[in-house]
Amino acid sequence: KGIRKGKEAASDSASYPREMADNAKGSKGRVDKAEDSKTGTDPGIKALSEKNGVYLSGEEIGSRAETEQQRKSKSEKSEDRKNPICCLIIGMAGSGKTTLMQRLNSYSHQKKTPSYIINLDPAVAKIPYSPNIDIRETVQYKEVMKQYNLGPNGGIMTSLNLFATRFGQVMGFLDKRSKEVEYCFVDTPGQIEVFTWSASGQIITDTLASSYPTVIVYVVDTPRTASPVTFMSNMTYACSIMYKAQLPFIIVFNKTDVFSHKFAHKWMTDFDAFDQALKKEQSYMKTFTRSMSLVLDEFYKNIKTVGVSAATGTGVEDLFKAIKEASKEYYEVFVPMMEKRKKAARDRKAEAEKKELERIRKDIKKSKGLKPVEESDEEDEDRRQVTPQQGSLPRRSPDGAFHL
């Protein structure tokens, strides 16, 4: 009986390639122009199926064409839909991020352009604005420190990690208000490395960027960057964040009411002026700073800079203009790059599936369609008990006999 079943399986597997070829030829002959017009077949899908050696029936091609048309209609609707511009406010501790958030919020309400505010700093005691979503209402920072026995920075990072697991709900709230608001401002923790170099910060950034035009606003404390060495440290950090996030980037020189940002703009556009200021420094980092300035010359050419005073409101209008220009860069540069990544991922998946299918076909051809003999659990257990392990040595029992 087992031999008869094996022969039947072999005959079925041997006839399968011929039947598949006959069906392929028949479907290829049946799919003509009349059926294409009847089912609404996309010629591109038909050509692609023939190129891959997979011939689909008229109904399958028509269903794929309908799926392609639905995807195109969805993409057109998404382009027509009003999307708010998401701004991630990032900067060193004490650079004035929270004060700038309050100024941006008040300016948007003054111009009657409602905005959506999200606070991601769990350790802040008091904020001068009313956020729509506050991480402190979801995660208790001090309780996290007690339960996990963490310090201040570890507590902030853990709180942000816990909040990132529920960020999909935040996106749901933002989707409901997306037609009403024009901007979404996100305040990040004071410790910049907690957000920029953590997994939770990357998840939040990628989630926002995949749905809405996202811009990174890097806030710089202008009075503290008057030294060329400190200025170069800030610019190096800004460059690393920009290339890591790969999103439109704006450098905001804050506190211009205390110290003007004109020197920074001059240093970014004129290397000789920066070199003259660097010669006055008595620091061992002079040579390194000069070399970094030459390296970052290309970075300076493609970066947007704005001088702002969060306390007085000077330059806020220029900042909103820069944000709108950066959102255009999002559609021109980031979206095509994201589509290219998705296409590469789909191609890799298709190539892996093709290789797996080819491997299965080779196995079937090699085995000639015979099914492998499956042992029962009892037989396998008996075999393991009877057959000694390879390399095992005989042992002597108390009665003097040797056993394996």
Side-chain angles (χ1 to χ4, degrees):
K1 187 177 179 180
I3 296 173
R4 187 167 59 251
K5 287 185 177 181
K7 291 182 178 180
E8 291 175 358
S11 62
D12 293 340
S13 62
S15 61
Y16 173 73
R18 292 195 297 271
E19 292 175 1
M20 185 176 65
D22 295 338
N23 292 335
K25 293 178 180 179
S27 61
K28 183 179 179 182
R30 289 194 299 270
V31 178
D32 53 4
K33 294 182 179 180
E35 289 188 351
D36 292 348
S37 60
K38 181 179 179 180
T39 58
T41 303
D42 188 352
I45 297 178
K46 179 181 176 183
L48 181 62
S49 64
E50 293 179 355
K51 180 180 179 181
N52 294 334
V54 180
Y55 299 97
L56 306 175
S57 63
E59 295 179 356
E60 292 175 330
I61 297 178
S63 62
R64 291 201 178 187
E66 290 176 0
T67 305
E68 185 72 14
Q69 292 173 359
Q70 290 175 0
R71 187 186 65 80
K72 289 181 180 179
S73 62
K74 286 182 180 180
S75 62
E76 291 174 358
K77 289 180 180 179
S78 61
E79 292 178 357
D80 296 337
R81 188 185 66 180
K82 180 181 177 182
N83 288 331
I85 303 173
C86 297
C87 300
L88 294 171
I89 311 299
I90 299 174
M92 299 286 186
S95 59
K97 298 186 298 296
T98 304
T99 309
L100 180 62
M101 283 283 295
Q102 187 271 337
R103 178 60 61 181
L104 294 173
N105 185 31
S106 62
Y107 182 85
S108 61
H109 283 288
Q110 180 184 353
K111 296 297 181 179
K112 296 182 179 180
T113 55
S115 58
Y116 203 80
I117 307 297
I118 300 175
N119 174 43
L120 295 181
D121 191 353
V124 63
K126 186 178 180 181
I127 49 179
Y129 56 87
S130 299
N132 298 92
I133 296 178
D134 196 342
I135 188 176
R136 298 176 300 172
E137 298 176 356
T138 305
V139 183
Q140 299 297 326
Y141 164 68
K142 293 184 179 180
E143 290 297 326
V144 170
M145 291 178 60
K146 291 179 181 178
Q147 291 184 15
Y148 295 95
N149 194 20
L150 299 171
N153 288 343
I156 294 174
M157 181 173 292
T158 305
S159 300
L160 197 62
N161 291 341
L162 294 172
F163 188 76
T165 60
R166 296 290 182 267
F167 200 74
Q169 299 178 11
V170 177
M171 294 298 295
F173 294 135
L174 183 58
D175 290 340
K176 294 178 181 178
R177 298 287 304 277
S178 61
K179 297 181 180 179
E180 304 173 8
V181 299
E182 293 188 12
Y183 299 95
C184 175
F185 299 109
V186 182
D187 193 6
T188 58
Q191 284 71 15
I192 185 172
E193 67 278 358
V194 171
F195 185 83
T196 55
W197 302 107
S198 65
S200 55
Q202 188 69 31
I203 291 171
I204 292 172
T205 303
D206 292 344
T207 304
L208 288 172
S210 62
S211 302
Y212 301 103
T214 306
V215 178
I216 294 181
V217 178
Y218 183 78
V219 185
V220 177
D221 190 348
T222 307
R224 292 188 178 181
T225 57
S227 169
V229 177
T230 310
F231 173 80
M232 185 53 56
S233 300
N234 260 295
M235 294 301 103
T236 306
Y237 209 105
C239 181
S240 63
I241 294 174
M242 188 190 73
Y243 282 104
K244 184 178 184 296
Q246 296 184 356
L247 288 170
F249 200 84
I250 301 175
I251 296 180
V252 175
F253 290 98
N254 196 16
K255 305 180 183 180
T256 55
D257 57 320
V258 179
F259 203 91
S260 177
H261 71 291
K262 293 181 179 179
F263 75 95
H265 181 73
K266 187 175 182 179
W267 285 354
M268 295 175 71
T269 55
D270 189 359
F271 173 77
D272 293 333
F274 179 78
D275 190 50
Q276 290 295 327
L278 190 61
K279 288 180 180 179
K280 300 177 183 179
E281 288 287 327
Q282 300 296 328
S283 174
Y284 67 93
M285 293 185 65
K286 287 173 60 176
T287 305
F288 174 75
T289 305
R290 184 179 290 105
S291 302
M292 288 301 301
S293 179
L294 293 172
V295 172
L296 295 180
D297 186 57
E298 192 69 24
F299 168 73
Y300 294 150
K301 293 179 181 178
N302 302 315
I303 207 69
K304 298 180 178 63
T305 59
V306 181
V308 173
S309 173
T312 62
T314 306
V316 176
E317 186 175 357
D318 296 335
L319 176 57
F320 272 88
K321 291 180 181 178
I323 291 173
K324 288 186 177 180
E325 292 178 1
S327 65
K328 296 178 181 178
E329 181 183 345
Y330 168 87
Y331 288 109
E332 294 174 357
V333 178
F334 179 77
V335 172
M337 182 174 61
M338 185 170 57
E339 293 295 332
K340 187 177 180 180
R341 289 178 182 175
K342 290 181 179 179
K343 183 179 180 301
R346 290 194 299 267
D347 293 343
R348 287 195 299 269
K349 184 178 179 180
E351 185 67 22
E353 291 177 352
K354 186 178 179 181
K355 289 182 179 179
E356 184 67 17
L357 183 60
E358 187 66 24
R359 185 184 66 81
I360 293 173
R361 287 175 178 174
K362 287 181 180 179
D363 291 343
I364 293 174
K365 185 178 180 181
K366 186 176 181 180
S367 62
K368 299 181 180 179
L370 294 175
K371 294 183 179 179
V373 179
E374 297 182 358
E375 289 184 327
S376 63
D377 296 338
E378 296 179 357
E379 293 176 351
D380 188 47
E381 182 67 22
D382 295 340
R383 182 181 58 80
R384 286 199 300 267
Q385 291 179 0
V386 173
T387 305
Q389 295 182 356
Q390 185 177 2
S392 60
L393 298 176
R395 57 184 176 85
R396 186 172 185 178
S397 61
D399 59 354
F402 286 92
H403 302 278
L404 287 176

